[in-house]
């Protein structure tokens, strides 16, 4: 299996993915890992309509995705893995799946969240999840598009953890 990119983006598939990442990063399959989306047929239909016909879309719940990633189901694929939030990524990592880097492409501002970076708004649960990923040795980089400069978000997340009084 060749994982080309792992990304957290609360919109999952949208123009930046289709026009930016898919045209730059060579993938033949997108794996969305989300219990919510795996149980929402309408959302699955809408997401599948946004994916070019040259790329296969697979939507799995966390349990099934963990099993399939652990058992080389995607060994012949060039894979993009998408999560809508960091909690889902933590669950996959807790199930033994390893990633070197996760791109934070978009976690948008909403009530109860604090904007840390232009494309990164977090609440306490997000910060706790990101700390778990950092402690697992995973780089957390932010950029909307592949041609943008990579920005390491670890220091920003750790500073926010200190502000929130989160002990590790």
């Amino acid at each position: 299996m060749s994982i080309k990119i792992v990304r957290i983006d609360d919109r999952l598939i949208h123009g930046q993915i289709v026009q930016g990442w898919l045209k730059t990063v060579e993938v033949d399959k997108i794996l969305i890992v989300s219990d919510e989306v795996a149980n929402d047929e309408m959302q699955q239909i809408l997401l599948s309509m946004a994916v070019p016909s040259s790329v296969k879309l697979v939507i799995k719940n966390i349990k099934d995705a963990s099993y399939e990633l652990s058992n080389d189901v995607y060994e012949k694929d060039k894979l993009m893995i998408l999560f809508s939030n960091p909690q889902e990524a933590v669950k996959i990592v807790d199930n033994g799946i390893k990633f070197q880097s996760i791109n934070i492409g978009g976690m948008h501002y909403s009530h109860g969240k604090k904007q840390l970076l232009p494309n990164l708004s977090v609440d306490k649960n997000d910060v706790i999840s990101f700390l778990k990923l950092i402690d697992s040795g995973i780089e957390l980089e932010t950029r909307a598009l592949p041609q943008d400069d990579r920005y390491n978000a670890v220091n920003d997340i750790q500073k926010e953890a200190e502000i929130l009084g989160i002990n590790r």
Side-chain angles (χ1 to χ4, degrees):
M1 165 177 54
S2 176
I3 298 174
K4 298 296 188 176
I5 182 170
V6 179
R7 181 176 169 102
I8 297 171
D9 192 321
D10 55 20
R11 296 175 293 170
L12 294 171
I13 298 174
H14 52 89
Q16 288 176 348
I17 297 293
V18 175
Q19 294 299 317
W21 289 96
L22 291 181
K23 290 189 175 187
T24 304
V25 179
E26 189 179 329
V27 301
D28 53 23
K29 190 169 283 182
I30 296 172
L31 172 62
I32 292 177
V33 181
S34 170
D35 288 344
E36 180 183 336
V37 177
N39 291 314
D40 185 337
E41 189 175 341
M42 181 57 70
Q43 197 170 0
Q44 292 175 33
I45 291 168
L46 293 172
L47 288 167
S48 68
M49 291 169 56
V51 177
S53 60
S54 61
V55 177
K56 181 170 174 47
L57 176 64
V58 177
I59 300 170
K60 296 289 180 177
N61 63 37
I62 292 164
K63 179 183 175 188
D64 292 343
S66 297
Y67 175 83
E68 290 180 357
L69 289 165
S70 296
N71 289 285
D72 297 325
V73 169
Y74 305 104
E75 70 179 318
K76 295 180 181 171
D77 297 310
K78 292 177 256 173
L79 200 59
M80 171 185 282
I81 301 174
L82 294 177
F83 299 101
S84 62
N85 60 63
Q87 292 77 21
E88 295 165 336
V90 167
K91 289 176 183 174
I92 288 286
V93 170
D94 285 348
N95 286 337
I97 308 303
K98 300 195 183 318
F99 304 121
Q100 290 183 325
S101 178
I102 295 178
N103 166 260
I104 306 167
M107 290 179 57
H108 297 86
Y109 180 81
S110 62
H111 181 71
K113 295 209 177 214
K114 177 181 177 183
Q115 186 171 4
L116 295 185
L117 299 168
N119 61 337
L120 177 58
S121 296
V122 296
D123 61 20
K124 186 173 183 175
N125 289 332
D126 296 328
V127 173
I128 290 168
S129 293
F130 281 131
L131 290 174
K132 289 178 182 176
L133 294 171
I134 292 166
D135 290 345
S136 296
I138 298 170
E139 173 199 41
L140 298 176
E141 59 97 0
T142 64
R143 57 187 163 147
L145 295 165
Q147 64 268 24
D148 295 343
D149 291 333
R150 292 171 66 98
Y151 179 80
N152 188 328
V154 169
N155 289 336
D156 299 274
I157 292 164
Q158 290 173 329
K159 285 179 190 172
E160 185 61 17
E162 289 175 22
I163 292 168
L164 293 172
I166 299 169
N167 297 319
R168 292 163 92 170

